[in-house]
Amino acid sequence: MELSHSDKSGGYRITYRNYRHILAIIYAIEEINENLSLLPNITLGFDIYDSCSYESKAIETTLKLLTGTENEVPNYQCAERGTLAGIIGHMLSSTTKSMAKLSGVHFLPQLNQYLENVNFETSSGENFHFEKREIAGEYDIMNWFITPNQTSIYTQIGSYISSAPPGRQLVLNEKLIQWNHIFKEVPQSVCSNSCLPGYRKAPRKSEQKCCYDCVLCSEGEISNNTDMENCIKCSEHQWSNERRDTCIPRTIDFLSYEDALGIVLSFFAILLSALTLAILSIFIKHKETPIVKANNRDLSYILLISLSLSFLCSLLFIGRPHTITCFFRQAAFGIVFAIAVSSVLAKTITVVIAFNATKPGSESRKWMKAGISTYLVGICAMGEVIICFVWFLSSPPFPDFDTSERSLKMTLQCNEGSAVAFYFLIGYMGVLAVLSFIVAFLARKLPDTFNEASHITFSMLVFCSVWLSFFPAYLSTKGKYMVTVEIFAILASSGGLMSCIFLPKCYIIIIRPELNTKESLMGKKVTRYNVESK
């Protein structure tokens, strides 16, 4: 039994909440003593003290057990009795620890659960055994309830059968349970509330296993049941909803013509392509003028057409990726750009050959008539064609979903298939650009008639700067912004070539036609040449 405080009178009242434990101990000891086969020639006895759930009282009663009398005398045994075999602690851990510190000084064991692997038969012939500190058998579960007139009522509400299959050992009739009036609902047997779907249980450090915190599942993970210890990761093509309790399909994202970014890029691509065609029409219209003739009309036409197509190639990168667009967009971009850069290289070489052809006795005149520049463009462009052909045979591009981003959206993009082939395509174009830059840089001080070399030098400087900055920007972005970076590089580099090479000539043709004469060009040439000769 247990002695506790009374809230109203300030005195004490006796409760029978733990009285069953005392009865169990007495019953077990009596059964053991009556069975001579368990402990032959040994009789067990016991002393029971009430600590009233106080630590000080528990220490006092422990001293009484050691002394053997009501007057506790430390280190003295004042009563004749049998050997003290052990002490059974209190049900409270704090009280039990206080008793253990004192009994440990006297090397007395303290038992918190008192029997293990013991079998005996009761006087009524019923077999009982304690196995692994648990009693195996069939037990009635009783509901102890005190009525308003202070009458105790015991009602059987279920049973526990240890030998039954798992899941059927405990049987309860919840309708028969009568709770204390202070409980408004069924009390919880744990120190934490249940974790709802969308949350997982996170154990608290240095606390009982039943104590935990409910942590919201991370993005891309869900928990669809109550009290789940781990969240479930959604599949690649799914993502968690806001409540983190259901996986939902991801939305497909790509650079479309409906996006503001797609509209702006498309507008500039078409505008620059139209401007390039306008320049081409100006050159065709004034094809017999000296400034057009002096800059190799055929190469100028090829370069302007390839630049116009390169602007339009960027449109293949916008819109929903399909197998055909993924297959041809890099090839179209690479081959058209290779033709454009090869044309610039051929124009640069033509400038050098043309200057040398003006010298007396030079054999460069036959190279001018042989059309070497046109063949050079075809040979250089064929290298890019071979790279694309090998790329498509080995590992062609294809539409694919990028699910690496941790968001509800997944990007539909073109998987390049072979990253090595893609960088070979860009690298080959870069080699042609570097060669053009080197040749143009060496020819930048030629006489004024051939000052196209200085324009080509600056255009190649812009071209190389754009593509050198392309690689870090391309590798550091994800999703549809990778496509945006490539489109910007195409427009910027193509626009740089067109602006640096052709806009100055258009200025002379349209704004300053008086300079577009053979006499004006030859006069500048002779003057510059005579000055440099001195």
Side-chain angles (χ1 to χ4, degrees):
M1 55 190 162
E2 181 179 306
L3 192 64
S4 61
H5 287 286
S6 174
D7 295 334
K8 296 181 178 179
S9 62
Y12 294 93
R13 60 184 176 86
I14 297 176
T15 61
Y16 296 90
R17 180 179 302 171
N18 298 319
Y19 187 58
R20 61 186 185 277
H21 301 298
I22 299 176
L23 296 179
I25 293 175
I26 296 173
Y27 176 78
I29 291 176
E30 290 178 351
E31 292 293 332
I32 293 172
N33 289 337
E34 292 179 2
N35 194 331
L36 300 179
S37 62
L38 291 178
L39 297 174
N41 299 322
I42 295 177
T43 302
L44 297 179
F46 59 87
D47 289 326
I48 298 177
Y49 291 91
D50 188 2
S51 66
C52 303
S53 301
Y54 291 115
E55 296 180 18
S56 58
K57 191 69 174 179
I59 296 175
E60 178 185 347
T61 55
T62 304
L63 286 173
K64 291 181 179 180
L65 285 173
L66 297 173
T67 303
T69 62
E70 292 297 326
N71 296 321
E72 55 277 2
V73 183
N75 297 329
Y76 287 94
Q77 184 172 341
C78 304
E80 296 181 0
R81 66 175 183 184
T83 303
L84 183 59
I87 299 176
I88 299 176
H90 196 273
M91 296 187 66
L92 296 177
S93 59
S94 59
T95 310
T96 301
K97 289 179 181 178
S98 301
M99 297 173 62
K101 291 179 181 179
L102 183 57
S103 62
V105 176
H106 297 269
F107 301 100
L108 287 173
Q110 180 166 321
L111 310 177
N112 291 331
Q113 300 194 31
Y114 49 90
L115 295 174
E116 182 176 359
N117 296 332
V118 177
N119 298 273
F120 61 91
E121 183 177 351
T122 65
S123 57
S124 60
E126 187 177 2
N127 290 321
F128 271 85
H129 69 277
F130 295 84
E131 183 177 352
K132 295 183 180 179
R133 303 192 182 200
E134 293 183 359
I135 303 177
E138 182 176 349
Y139 306 94
D140 295 333
I141 300 177
M142 309 299 293
N143 181 201
W144 176 53
F145 184 77
I146 301 178
T147 62
N149 58 3
Q150 301 301 315
T151 303
S152 299
I153 298 177
Y154 291 89
T155 305
Q156 182 178 350
I157 60 173
S159 60
Y160 178 83
I161 305 174
S162 60
S163 59
R168 299 183 180 179
Q169 295 174 326
L170 180 63
V171 180
L172 284 177
N173 188 346
E174 297 184 4
K175 295 182 179 179
L176 298 177
I177 300 177
Q178 298 187 54
W179 297 101
N180 193 303
H181 66 279
I182 64 174
F183 295 109
K184 304 301 182 183
E185 56 184 10
V186 178
Q188 296 288 333
S189 60
V190 294
C191 56
S192 300
N193 295 326
S194 296
C195 292
L196 300 176
Y199 294 82
R200 63 175 178 85
K201 296 196 300 185
R204 297 175 184 171
K205 293 183 179 180
S206 304
E207 292 192 28
Q208 300 294 330
K209 292 183 178 180
C210 60
C211 299
Y212 51 84
D213 295 319
C214 295
V215 179
L216 183 66
C217 291
S218 303
E219 291 186 352
E221 298 180 348
I222 65 165
S223 63
N224 49 13
N225 288 319
T226 304
D227 290 335
M228 291 187 64
E229 295 184 356
N230 297 300
C231 297
I232 303 172
K233 188 176 182 180
C234 295
S235 63
E236 290 187 353
H237 295 81
Q238 292 182 325
W239 198 251
S240 57
N241 60 352
E242 293 183 359
R243 296 190 302 271
R244 308 285 202 275
D245 58 359
T246 304
C247 289
I248 58 177
R250 285 185 171 187
T251 57
I252 300 176
D253 188 31
F254 55 89
L255 183 61
S256 67
Y257 289 102
E258 288 77 18
D259 292 340
L261 189 59
I263 294 174
V264 172
L265 293 175
S266 302
F267 171 77
F268 277 103
I270 296 173
L271 177 64
L272 293 173
S273 178
L275 180 61
T276 307
L277 292 177
I279 294 174
L280 176 61
S281 65
I282 293 173
F283 267 62
I284 294 175
K285 182 178 180 180
H286 299 84
K287 62 181 179 180
E288 300 299 332
T289 59
I291 194 170
V292 177
K293 289 182 178 180
N295 289 281
N296 197 320
R297 288 179 295 187
D298 294 337
L299 286 180
S300 296
Y301 297 158
I302 294 174
L303 179 56
L304 286 169
I305 293 173
S306 61
L307 287 176
S308 178
L309 293 176
S310 66
F311 288 127
L312 296 178
C313 281
S314 60
L315 298 178
L316 294 174
F317 293 81
I318 305 175
R320 187 183 184 92
H322 296 283
T323 304
I324 296 178
T325 56
C326 289
F327 192 81
F328 285 109
R329 72 179 189 179
Q330 295 293 3
F333 152 69
I335 294 173
V336 170
F337 249 74
I339 294 174
V341 179
S342 300
S343 300
V344 175
L345 177 60
K347 285 176 72 67
T348 310
I349 295 176
T350 300
V351 170
V352 177
I353 294 176
F355 174 72
N356 291 326
T358 59
K359 295 181 181 180
S362 175
E363 297 182 357
S364 300
R365 295 179 181 272
K366 63 180 180 180
W367 295 106
M368 295 290 293
K369 297 180 180 180
I372 187 66
S373 58
T374 306
Y375 291 109
L376 182 62
V377 173
I379 293 172
C380 293
M382 186 57 63
E384 198 76 282
V385 173
I386 294 174
I387 293 175
C388 294
F389 183 75
V390 175
W391 183 4
F392 294 155
L393 287 181
S394 59
S395 181
F398 58 93
D400 190 21
F401 289 102
D402 181 13
T403 58
S404 60
E405 295 186 55
R406 295 187 58 81
S407 65
L408 183 60
K409 295 182 180 180
M410 60 179 178
T411 304
L412 178 60
Q413 61 184 12
C414 289
N415 189 318
E416 305 303 344
S418 173
V420 176
F422 172 72
Y423 290 120
F424 258 104
L425 182 139
I426 301 294
Y428 181 78
M429 185 176 62
V431 170
L432 296 178
V434 171
L435 288 176
S436 300
F437 175 75
I438 293 174
V439 176
F441 181 78
L442 295 176
R444 72 188 186 283
K445 293 184 178 180
L446 292 178
D448 202 22
T449 302
F450 308 104
N451 65 355
E452 189 175 31
S454 60
H455 297 156
I456 293 176
T457 302
F458 188 72
S459 66
M460 285 295 100
L461 181 62
V462 174
F463 185 91
C464 294
S465 300
V466 169
W467 285 104
L468 285 176
S469 60
F470 161 77
F471 288 102
Y474 184 81
L475 296 176
S476 62
T477 54
K478 290 184 178 296
K480 64 182 181 182
Y481 298 104
M482 295 180 66
V483 182
T484 304
V485 170
E486 189 168 358
I487 295 175
F488 178 80
I490 293 173
L491 297 180
S493 57
S494 301
L497 291 178
M498 181 194 67
S499 302
C500 297
I501 296 176
F502 293 103
L503 288 185
K505 298 176 179 61
C506 291
Y507 172 79
I508 294 176
I509 294 173
I510 300 175
I511 307 299
R512 301 290 302 274
E514 68 275 8
L515 300 178
N516 190 10
T517 61
K518 185 176 180 179
E519 293 75 15
S520 178
L521 295 176
M522 293 300 294
K524 290 184 179 180
K525 172 188 173 184
V526 171
T527 303
R528 179 69 61 85
Y529 188 77
N530 291 336
V531 172
E532 291 182 358
S533 298
K534 293 180 181 180

